Amino acid sequence: MDYNALADLLFPDVTQSPDDMEKRFPARELPEGACVTRIGPSPTGFVHLGNLYNAIIGERLAHQSGGVFYLRIEDTDNKREVEGAVETLINAMNYFNVNFDEGATADGDKGAYGPYRQRQRKDIYHVFAKKLVQMGKAYPCFLTAEEIDAIREQQTANKENPGIYGKYAKCRDLTIDEVKADIAEGKEWVLRFRGEETGEYITVEDAIRGKVEMPRNNMDFVLLKSDGIPTYHFAHVVDDHLMHSTHVIRGEEWLSSLPMHVELFNTLGWKQPIYCHTATLMKIEGTGKRKLSKRKDPELALSYYQQEGISQDVVWEFLLTLLNSNYEEWRLADPEADYREFPYSIAKMSISGALVDLDKLRSISKETICRMSAEKIYENWLGWCEQYNTEFAELIKKYHERTIAALNVGRNAAKPRKDIETWKQACDFMSFYYDETFKVTEDMPAECSAEDVKTFFSKYLETYDHSDDSSAWFAKVKEITEALGYAVKPKDFKKNPEQYKGSIVHITNMIRIALTGHANAPDIWEVSHVLGEDIVRKRLEKWA
C-alpha cells in the first residue's frame, strides 16, 4: 500500500504539516514546574458537581505552581449538544469563582492556543489524521452500522471482547483502488487507528492512583467520524499536546480508554501528560454507598447549589475536604485564612469514592458564613436574592442599615451563633426583622397559661425602657418572672417542678415568640435594639 497516496486521497485539502502545527502552537514560556491544566466539558446542558470538583483540582494545580488553567469545550458529539449549554457552563464556573486564564468565554475565545472549541479545530485534527495515514497507522473504514451490529452479535455469541479489531477489522487491508471505488460510490467512512495484537501491557503512573497496568490497546478505534469531526480519544490527545497540558484531570470512568490514548501519544512521538483519574462522587444510601445519579440526586447538578443559595465559598470548602483529608485540620488551625491559601496536594487524594454528604455540607456552610463579616453576608445574600427572590432583595435593600445590624447579632460572642446556612434559608430565618414578612409560627409555651401570657406582657410593657442595658433589662424580666410564680433559676424548677408554674426559660421564650415568631432566636435584648422601640412595642402589645 502506498500510504502517502492513500493520505492524499483521503485528505486532499490538507496542505499543512505537523511541523506547521508545532510552530503555530509553540511551547509555553512558564516557570519551571508550572502546571498547565484544563477542564474539557461537553456542552450537554447539564453542569454537574464533578465538573466543579475536577475544575478545582485543575485550578489549584495550575495557580499554586504559577501555571495556566484553561477552558476547552469538547463539542465533538453534536448529537448530545444542547443549545445555550456553553453559556450555561461558563456562567456556572463564573458563579463558583473558577478563574480561567484562557479558553472559551461567553464573548468568544481568549488565548493564543485556540480555538478552544473542538469543532472549530477540525483542520488541525486532519493534519495529524493525515500523518497517521502516511505512517500506516490509520485507515478508512466503510463498515455500516448494521455490519457493526452484526459483528457485536457474533462477538457476544462467541464471548469475545466487543469492538473492531483483528479479523473483525474488515477494511484495514483494502487496496487503494478499493478505497477509491468505495469513495466514488459515495460510501461514508470513518478513520480508524490500526491497533496491534501484541499481548503486551502498558504501565502508566497516575498522579492519584499510582502505577496503573493495563493491556496495550489492540482496538481499531475511531479517530475521525464520518463528518470529519474527531472522537474524544483523538481530539484530546492532539489538543493536550498542542496546548501543552501537563496534567489531564478526568473521572475514573475514562481509565478503560487509557490504552488508546497512550497508544496515540506513543505513535505520534509526543510526551504523555500526567493523567489524574479522580474518584467517583458517591452518597450514602441505607447501609452502603452508591454513585450520585443525575436522575435520583438533585445535588449532583451545580444548579442545585445555586438555587438553594449555598455560598460559592461553602461549596469550595466542602469539595476541598473531599479532595484532601487534611483540609479540615488546616481550617481548624487557621479559621480566618482564605481557602485558596490551603496547600492542596494531588498526592493526598483518595482513590475511593468521594462521599457527598449534604449534612456535612450544611455544617460547613454554617461555619463558613459564621466567619464572614455582616457586610460580606449582606452582599452575597443580596446577590442571590436578586436572582432567586427579588421581593426579599427589595426588602433588605430598603432596610439596609437594619439588616446589617441584624446580621451582626450574636457575631461578637465567644461562640458566635450559626443561624444561617444558605441564602435561601436566610430569607426565612431573617424574615422576623421586617414587618412585611414577620409571622408567628409557634405557640406560646404550654407551661404559660393564656392569663399568664397576658399578665406578663402587660407588666413587661409597663416597665419596658428601651434605653436599659442588657443587665437592667434582664433584672426586670426576672422580677416579673418571680412575681408570676415561675422559677428565676431553671435548675430550681428542674429540682422542684411542683413548686413553680415553669421557669424563666419559658418566660423568655414567650418574648422570643412574640418578637420573632419562634423560640429559637438570637438574644432578645440585641434583637429588640435592632427592631427599634416602636416595632417592639407594637408586637408585644398584641399579647398584653
Side-chain angles (χ1 to χ4, degrees):
M1 168 69 80
D2 184 342
Y3 292 123
N4 285 322
L6 178 61
D8 289 338
L9 174 64
L10 299 178
F11 300 101
D13 298 327
V14 174
T15 57
Q16 292 187 298
S17 69
D19 284 343
D20 293 326
M21 293 297 107
E22 300 291 350
K23 291 173 185 174
R24 179 175 164 185
F25 302 104
R28 295 175 181 270
E29 294 182 7
L30 295 170
E32 187 176 352
C35 300
V36 179
T37 63
R38 47 69 172 178
I39 58 168
S42 300
T44 61
F46 181 66
V47 189
H48 55 82
L49 193 61
N51 294 132
L52 182 58
Y53 182 76
N54 286 342
I56 288 176
I57 299 171
E59 192 274 345
R60 291 290 77 206
L61 281 178
H63 292 160
Q64 285 184 175
S65 64
V68 173
F69 178 52
Y70 66 93
L71 172 63
R72 187 172 73 219
I73 303 300
E74 299 190 341
D75 55 356
T76 58
D77 189 351
N78 60 348
K79 292 179 182 176
R80 297 177 64 218
E81 185 168 349
V82 173
E83 187 176 352
V86 174
E87 290 72 20
T88 299
L89 173 87
I90 291 170
N91 289 339
M93 290 296 140
N94 286 340
Y95 179 86
F96 286 99
N97 297 323
V98 175
N99 301 313
F100 298 101
D101 301 299
E102 62 186 51
T105 75
D107 302 318
D109 288 354
K110 179 185 79 172
Y113 291 82
Y116 294 90
R117 302 163 203 250
Q118 288 183 329
R119 291 186 72 84
Q120 296 176 13
R121 296 172 65 85
K122 182 176 177 180
D123 61 318
I124 298 170
Y125 305 126
H126 283 204
V127 170
F128 294 101
K130 184 173 184 178
K131 174 67 176 176
L132 288 171
V133 174
Q134 290 170 332
M135 295 169 67
K137 298 299 295 184
Y139 66 91
C141 174
F142 298 90
L143 288 174
T144 64
E146 293 74 20
E147 288 173 314
I148 291 173
D149 287 342
I151 287 171
R152 285 186 184 136
E153 287 180 18
Q154 184 180 344
Q155 289 169 335
T156 300
N158 296 342
K159 296 182 177 179
E160 296 174 304
N161 291 331
I164 304 301
Y165 58 93
K167 66 181 180 180
Y168 296 111
K170 299 181 179 180
C171 297
R172 61 155 49 197
D173 294 321
L174 292 177
T175 65
I176 194 165
D177 289 335
E178 289 172 320
V179 170
K180 285 179 180 177
D182 286 338
I183 291 175
E185 286 181 32
K187 290 184 179 180
E188 288 191 343
W189 56 274
V190 300
L191 190 72
R192 289 187 182 274
F193 183 84
R194 189 184 297 270
E196 294 183 48
E197 186 70 66
T198 64
E200 297 174 354
Y201 274 68
I202 61 167
T203 301
V204 176
E205 193 66 34
D206 188 285
I208 298 172
R209 297 164 185 275
K211 187 179 291 186
V212 176
E213 289 189 337
M214 305 178 77
R216 181 182 170 184
N217 171 74
N218 70 324
M219 293 286 171
D220 288 15
F221 57 89
V222 176
L223 298 170
L224 298 180
K225 292 174 282 189
S226 58
D227 59 359
I229 297 297
T231 58
Y232 165 79
H233 307 300
F234 187 41
H236 105 265
V237 167
V238 172
D239 290 343
D240 283 322
H241 170 70
L242 293 178
M243 295 180 180
H244 304 279
S245 302
T246 61
H247 294 70
V248 171
I249 301 143
R250 61 189 186 184
E252 64 183 353
E253 67 271 16
W254 289 105
L255 266 172
S256 61
S257 305
L258 190 56
M260 289 188 279
H261 308 150
V262 170
E263 193 79 17
L264 280 171
F265 274 107
N266 290 341
T267 301
L268 289 164
W270 294 338
K271 181 182 178 181
Q272 183 180 300
I274 297 170
Y275 280 98
C276 316
H277 289 93
T278 58
T280 301
L281 297 178
M282 311 284 282
K283 75 176 294 182
I284 294 286
E285 186 169 80
T287 57
K289 294 191 292 186
R290 66 164 173 80
K291 182 179 178 181
L292 275 180
S293 161
K294 177 180 177 181
R295 182 171 56 86
K296 295 180 181 179
D297 306 308
E299 66 267 32
L300 182 59
L302 278 189
S303 58
Y304 168 84
Y305 303 90
Q306 293 173 263
Q307 290 161 9
E308 287 295 304
I310 298 171
S311 169
Q312 302 97 316
D313 295 334
V314 168
V315 177
W316 263 81
E317 298 238 7
F318 174 65
L319 290 178
L320 284 169
T321 67
L322 300 186
L323 291 168
N324 274 186
S325 59
N326 62 323
Y327 180 78
E328 290 171 88
E329 181 183 341
W330 174 84
R331 172 52 76 201
L332 283 171
D334 201 345
E336 300 302 322
D338 188 304
Y339 53 79
R340 292 178 193 268
E341 295 174 23
F342 170 68
Y344 164 75
S345 170
I346 200 164
K348 292 180 180 176
M349 286 188 65
S350 171
I351 61 172
S352 60
L355 187 62
V356 177
D357 180 347
L358 289 183
D359 288 337
K360 181 177 180 180
L361 171 67
R362 291 180 184 274
S363 176
I364 291 172
S365 186
K366 289 180 181 179
E367 292 285 347
T368 302
I369 293 173
C370 177
R371 292 194 302 268
M372 292 181 185
S373 66
E375 289 73 16
K376 183 174 182 183
I377 294 173
Y378 177 86
E379 181 185 337
N380 290 344
W381 182 27
L382 176 60
W384 181 86
C385 287
E386 286 180 328
Q387 186 170 0
Y388 295 100
N389 190 338
T390 53
E391 287 184 13
F392 219 94
E394 291 306 310
L395 198 62
I396 63 178
K397 283 192 288 186
K398 179 180 179 181
Y399 301 108
H400 176 265
E401 188 175 333
R402 187 194 305 174
T403 301
I404 294 294
L407 291 171
N408 270 317
V409 169
R411 296 191 65 76
N412 298 318
K415 289 186 177 180
R417 290 183 63 91
K418 300 170 185 175
D419 296 307
I420 299 176
E421 63 179 39
T422 71
W423 307 134
K424 183 179 183 179
Q425 173 263 347
C427 295
D428 181 53
F429 177 78
M430 297 285 288
S431 62
F432 69 83
Y433 284 107
Y434 318 100
D435 283 342
E436 292 90 334
T437 51
F438 169 69
K439 58 185 177 182
V440 176
T441 59
E442 291 186 39
D443 295 329
M444 287 295 176
E447 291 81 1
C448 304
S449 66
E451 183 181 348
D452 282 350
V453 170
K454 187 176 181 65
T455 301
F456 171 80
F457 282 110
S458 295
K459 291 183 177 295
Y460 183 83
L461 284 167
E462 285 174 12
T463 63
Y464 183 73
D465 185 341
H466 199 67
S467 64
D468 283 343
D469 63 19
S470 60
S471 297
W473 165 81
F474 194 47
K476 291 178 180 179
V477 173
K478 287 193 288 185
E479 188 177 330
I480 304 171
T481 298
E482 189 171 22
L484 287 175
Y486 290 77
V488 172
K489 295 179 180 179
K491 65 180 180 181
D492 291 344
F493 173 67
K494 190 173 183 180
K495 186 183 289 187
N496 301 298
E498 70 283 352
Q499 295 182 18
Y500 304 95
K501 296 178 181 179
S503 79
I504 197 166
V505 171
H506 304 117
I507 296 295
T508 52
N509 278 348
M510 280 200 312
I511 308 174
R512 282 193 178 88
I513 291 167
L515 283 180
T516 72
H518 39 80
N520 180 22
D523 180 83
I524 303 168
W525 184 86
E526 286 194 74
V527 167
S528 298
H529 283 75
V530 170
L531 291 173
E533 185 172 1
D534 289 346
I535 293 176
V536 169
R537 287 190 177 278
K538 185 175 67 173
R539 290 187 184 180
L540 299 186
E541 283 167 356
K542 293 180 180 179
W543 300 93

